[in-house]
Amino acid sequence: MKYLRWIAAAAAMVCSVSLLLPAEVTLAEESTEESSSFDDGTLTYTIISGTQVAVTDCVTSATNISIMPEIDGYDIVAIGDEAFANCENLMSLTIPSSVTSIGESAFYGCTQLQSLKIPDGVTALENGTFFQCSALQELDLGSGITSLGDMVFGYCTSLTELTLPDSLETIGNQEFYYCVSLKQINIPQKVKELGSYTFYGCLSLTEFEIPAQLEEIGAMSFVACPALQTISVDENNVNYKVVDDVLYNAEQSILYLYPAAREETSFTVPDGVLVIYAGSFFSAANLQQITLNADLQYIGEMAFDFCSGLTSLTIPESVTNIESTAFADCTGLTSVTFAGASDEDGGEGEDLEIGDFAFFCCDAVKSIQLPKRVTKIGQYAFGCTAPEDEEADSEDVVSVESGTGNSLQVKALDGFQLIGYTGAASDYVDSCELDIAFDSVNFDWKTFLFWSVLSVVLLAVIFVAIVIVRKNMMTAEERLAKREARKAQEALAASAEPEFDDGYHSIVDDEEDNEIVEEVAPYEETISHAQLHQLGHAVQAAESESIAPPASKNADDKEKSTD
């Protein structure tokens, strides 16, 4: 059942091999075909030059067809695009040696076609030529083929073996995509590059040899090859090397392929390896323990996807990139440790970016602590899984749309907790549509400041509201009493004001010759200046040692005036 998700992934990546033309272009072509096409009741021919025609259509009810080298004086030199597409009843077909060209998707969906020989004069097979020819078992490609387009043999599920001609130089992408019965294939010496996903889903492929001149292996070329046990490299190849049945580049800095059917249960990535290539450990079912080297930097897309036997994992501080679905579907994984994450300073190392669905469907992992150096986390990378069928309609399930229009259902993993620092980790949890528990290991000053300011503002609003409500609830008697109390307070404050000073002071030396300044009552309450003068003389007479203030001429004048 684990291959069901592979098939779903394959369906999402299959590209359409037919093109839809605008209506006005189609009409123009139909008009041209009326004057340049003819048929024999089974096949339709289109004139492409003065004496040459191409087979461009076939009735879908045809079962066995033998194309003649010529018809009505025209040489048949080509088979056009989709000429036999979806002829689901076609079981056998003979192509004459006069044919030198075969168009795109020429035999697309001929699900009953079992065998075919390509003439030696054909030099190229275009995109999707035999796509979904699911009954095709025997195929002779002739001796003249130099290039293969994309997905030429995609979903040829009955094809068990195939000999590629020595003339072949170019192999496209997804060439043998889901050829699930293919057990063995040779790559001619002239081929220098394998396209991406070349053998994706070749479930029966058990061995493979890299030829001497091969310079580049495309991404995910051997993904979903669960039976692959042995890989070898021609001794004259200077670009690749195999050590203990594991494929590396010549410098052994890139690990390209760990055969999925390798029997060993543990593996240590050698020192010096900087990159684990995309899909390199995909579905390595026997692998239970992996030790990553201390200088590893990059873990590619789907690198350990479906490694269901893995139980624990430690990511070294040297790693800077963990790509999408790198450890997805590792259902036996119970422990994931990021080196340095639990240190007081949050660990060392360069910034770390983690891709979408990196640890998706790792259902046995209940807690992961991330180091401080994490700067980016893709969607549904942690704490997410696929729901059971009965949960599909739950409000806790979200559908994630892909670029191909397909969707993947996702739900939060029960009991999972992500531990990390504010920043990338907390942002991941906040932005996720699902409810993922998060425990921050550092103090979030921004959040604290925000809630503090908000609390002060709320308290101020509440206080003002209480004052307003209280004021509006007072009775007339309470308001009158309040005004009276305010008046009383004002009167009390007025009575406590400093007394008026008219500017006159009496200076008398005390025993210590200190100057004494007495306060003077307001002018209206004072005695007359004459009385004050007389009082001064009385004091002078009573005291044995006293100093009388000098007489004021103005004071004498005022006394005489008073008398």
Side-chain angles (χ1 to χ4, degrees):
M1 294 300 291
K2 72 176 182 178
Y3 299 131
L4 292 177
R5 289 197 60 210
W6 295 1
I7 295 173
M13 286 182 279
V14 171
C15 300
S16 176
V17 294
S18 62
L19 300 176
L20 298 178
L21 299 177
E24 61 271 21
V25 176
T26 304
L27 291 174
E29 290 184 351
E30 290 175 352
S31 176
T32 302
E33 290 178 359
E34 289 180 0
S35 60
S36 62
S37 299
F38 59 93
D39 67 77
D40 62 4
T42 300
L43 299 176
T44 298
Y45 306 90
T46 299
I47 300 172
I48 57 177
S49 70
T51 60
Q52 296 179 330
V53 295
V55 177
T56 54
D57 201 2
C58 176
V59 295
T60 56
S61 60
T63 56
N64 299 281
I65 297 176
S66 180
I67 302 174
M68 302 302 292
E70 62 178 46
I71 185 171
D72 294 345
Y74 292 98
D75 295 326
I76 301 175
V77 298
I79 295 175
D81 295 347
E82 302 183 30
F84 294 90
N86 295 314
C87 289
E88 296 179 353
N89 297 304
L90 184 63
M91 292 186 291
S92 67
L93 175 67
T94 301
I95 302 174
S97 59
S98 59
V99 172
T100 59
S101 174
I102 297 177
E104 289 190 5
S105 308
F107 306 102
Y108 172 88
C110 293
T111 54
Q112 297 298 316
L113 184 63
Q114 298 179 11
S115 63
L116 188 65
K117 182 182 187 307
I118 303 298
D120 293 339
V122 176
T123 59
L125 294 179
E126 305 297 338
N127 296 343
T129 301
F130 299 102
F131 188 80
Q132 286 189 351
C133 291
S134 54
L136 189 62
Q137 298 179 15
E138 298 180 12
L139 181 60
D140 185 343
L141 295 178
S143 60
I145 299 292
T146 60
S147 68
L148 298 174
D150 295 341
M151 295 192 80
V152 171
F153 309 102
Y155 287 97
C156 290
T157 54
S158 297
L159 196 64
T160 58
E161 59 181 353
L162 181 65
T163 300
L164 300 177
D166 293 337
S167 57
L168 185 63
E169 299 176 359
T170 304
I171 293 179
N173 298 318
Q174 302 170 285
E175 202 62 82
F176 300 95
Y177 200 83
Y178 266 90
C179 292
V180 296
S181 300
L182 188 66
K183 296 180 179 179
Q184 188 175 359
I185 185 75
N186 70 299
I187 302 297
Q189 291 294 330
K190 292 182 180 180
V191 175
K192 295 185 177 182
E193 180 180 348
L194 292 181
S196 60
Y197 298 93
T198 302
F199 299 101
Y200 190 105
C202 292
L203 307 182
S204 301
L205 188 67
T206 58
E207 60 183 53
F208 183 79
E209 181 179 8
I210 295 175
Q213 302 303 316
L214 193 68
E215 298 177 356
E216 184 174 348
I217 297 175
M220 314 258 193
S221 286
F222 296 94
V223 163
C225 295
L228 186 63
Q229 188 170 9
T230 303
I231 189 163
S232 59
V233 177
D234 188 289
E235 61 181 7
N236 295 317
N237 189 295
V238 298
N239 302 300
Y240 298 97
K241 66 186 299 185
V242 170
V243 179
D244 294 332
D245 291 325
V246 178
L247 179 65
Y248 303 88
N249 66 336
E251 295 78 17
Q252 210 168 333
S253 61
I254 301 175
L255 191 159
Y256 278 102
L257 177 64
Y258 179 98
R262 196 170 184 266
E263 294 180 353
E264 284 74 10
T265 59
S266 64
F267 180 74
T268 299
V269 179
D271 293 338
V273 173
L274 304 178
V275 175
I276 292 179
Y277 206 57
S280 53
F281 288 81
F282 185 94
S283 191
N286 297 322
L287 186 64
Q288 298 177 15
Q289 182 179 355
I290 181 75
T291 302
L292 303 178
N293 57 311
D295 44 357
L296 181 66
Q297 297 177 7
Y298 182 93
I299 301 175
E301 181 181 358
M302 298 173 68
F304 295 89
D305 198 0
F306 284 101
C307 288
S308 57
L310 277 180
T311 57
S312 63
L313 174 69
T314 298
I315 308 293
E317 290 181 299
S318 58
V319 174
T320 60
N321 290 84
I322 299 176
E323 296 299 325
S324 300
T325 64
F327 296 95
D329 302 285
C330 292
T331 53
L333 198 60
T334 59
S335 172
V336 175
T337 302
F338 285 83
S342 59
D343 294 350
E344 186 175 351
D345 60 356
E348 300 178 351
E350 300 293 329
D351 291 348
L352 171 61
E353 295 186 359
I354 301 172
D356 299 340
F357 299 94
F359 291 86
F360 185 70
C361 282
C362 295
D363 294 358
V365 178
K366 297 303 181 182
S367 177
I368 293 180
Q369 182 168 347
L370 299 178
K372 192 175 183 178
R373 63 192 184 92
V374 175
T375 58
K376 180 182 178 182
I377 301 176
Q379 63 175 351
Y380 310 111
F382 298 101
C384 299
T385 188
E388 300 292 338
D389 291 340
E390 60 271 17
E391 298 176 308
D393 297 328
S394 171
E395 60 181 12
D396 297 326
V397 174
V398 298
S399 292
V400 183
E401 298 296 329
S402 67
T404 60
N406 296 300
S407 62
L408 174 68
Q409 289 190 312
V410 181
K411 73 163 192 172
L413 180 61
D414 294 338
F416 178 84
Q417 183 179 47
L418 185 65
I419 304 170
Y421 290 79
T422 54
S426 59
D427 290 346
Y428 165 75
V429 173
D430 292 340
S431 62
C432 187
E433 299 174 77
L434 302 173
D435 186 14
I436 298 175
F438 177 68
D439 182 15
S440 177
V441 296
N442 64 328
F443 191 78
D444 188 355
W445 282 105
K446 290 182 179 179
T447 302
F448 174 76
L449 183 61
F450 170 79
W451 287 110
S452 298
V453 172
L454 182 61
S455 299
V456 171
V457 171
L458 289 175
L459 288 174
V461 170
I462 292 172
F463 177 77
V464 172
I466 292 174
V467 171
I468 294 174
V469 171
R470 176 58 181 161
K471 183 176 181 180
N472 292 334
M473 293 178 61
M474 292 178 65
T475 63
E477 291 79 3
E478 288 176 330
R479 284 195 287 271
L480 179 60
K482 185 176 180 180
R483 284 197 295 269
E484 293 296 333
R486 186 181 297 115
K487 289 179 180 180
Q489 290 177 349
E490 291 175 353
L492 181 60
S495 65
E497 290 182 356
E499 296 180 350
F500 177 76
D501 185 0
D502 66 352
Y504 181 83
H505 298 278
S506 176
I507 300 175
V508 179
D509 290 336
D510 59 9
E511 293 180 353
E512 297 179 357
D513 295 327
N514 292 328
E515 183 178 26
I516 299 176
V517 180
E518 297 182 354
E519 279 191 3
V520 180
Y523 184 79
E524 293 79 5
E525 301 177 10
T526 61
I527 59 177
S528 67
H529 287 182
Q531 292 173 323
L532 183 61
H533 185 72
Q534 293 176 357
L535 180 60
H537 283 288
V539 171
Q540 186 179 22
E543 294 181 354
S544 61
E545 294 182 5
S546 63
I547 300 174
S552 171
K553 184 177 184 299
N554 292 338
D556 293 339
D557 294 340
K558 289 182 180 180
E559 182 180 358
K560 291 177 179 180
S561 175
T562 304
D563 295 334

